[in-house]
Amino acid sequence: MDTREIEAFLAVAEELHFGRAAQRLHLSTSRVSHLIRALERRAGAPLFERTSRRVHLTTAGEGLLAEVRPAYERLSTALRQARESPRRCTRSLIVEITPVGAEAHDETEQRYRMRDVDDPHRPELYFSHAQWDAFVHSASARQ
């Protein structure tokens, strides 16, 4: 099935009007009619009953709508989440500078602590300014 056929079917099923469905999809009315006819050929049954004054779903159309609408909505949600996922991967970190010992006044003896603000259960990362040696400590052990 073509995505455009499904979109046309859903639009006509919701609007119950080929012209309004075409406007909504930014297509011509004849293109929407063509897509619906192609889908009806695939389905092997008429999906809409059309008169000069009225359009309504047939029993086959109602059955197809009941199956297609939730699947299309899940697919649309999955695609939207995939588009947004790079933005959701951005993490916020807090960086603290603390002396290693009581007498640590030299910059080389300072230690940096990074903590993930978005997920307090993730481990904290500690590193020394002088060597930039990194090692991981459990966040729960420090809190």
Side-chain angles (χ1 to χ4, degrees):
M1 251 184 269
D2 185 316
T3 305
R4 283 309 234 173
E5 290 174 3
I6 297 299
E7 290 171 344
F9 171 72
L10 290 172
V12 174
E14 291 167 7
E15 298 289 342
L16 295 177
H17 192 278
F18 278 77
R20 285 192 300 267
Q23 285 179 328
R24 184 168 129 186
L25 297 172
H26 306 287
L27 298 172
S28 67
T29 304
S30 62
R31 178 69 179 140
V32 171
S33 293
H34 175 77
L35 291 167
I36 295 299
R37 281 193 305 275
L39 186 57
E40 287 175 328
R41 279 192 302 276
R42 250 184 248 279
L47 302 173
F48 295 97
E49 189 173 301
R50 306 157 178 88
T51 67
S52 59
R53 295 190 178 267
R54 190 167 169 228
V55 174
H56 70 274
L57 286 162
T58 63
T59 303
E62 288 173 0
L64 184 62
L65 180 62
E67 295 294 324
V68 168
R69 181 181 278 151
Y72 185 80
E73 288 171 359
R74 283 192 308 273
L75 178 61
S76 296
T77 299
L79 289 172
R80 186 181 65 253
Q81 288 173 347
R83 278 191 304 272
E84 294 171 356
S85 69
R87 285 178 252 158
R88 286 191 290 151
C89 289
T90 304
R91 310 299 297 188
S92 299
L93 297 174
I94 290 179
V95 177
E96 298 175 2
I97 302 173
T98 54
V100 173
E103 67 286 338
H105 300 287
D106 186 358
E107 183 179 293
T108 60
E109 295 181 41
Q110 288 182 336
R111 202 166 59 159
Y112 298 84
R113 180 174 86 152
M114 295 191 327
R115 183 168 48 92
D116 190 336
V117 174
D118 298 325
D119 186 358
H121 302 291
R122 291 175 62 112
E124 294 177 336
L125 174 68
Y126 291 88
F127 57 94
S128 166
H129 179 269
Q131 300 89 10
W132 296 101
D133 292 332
F135 56 98
V136 176
H137 287 271
S138 168
S140 60
R142 295 283 302 164
Q143 293 177 352

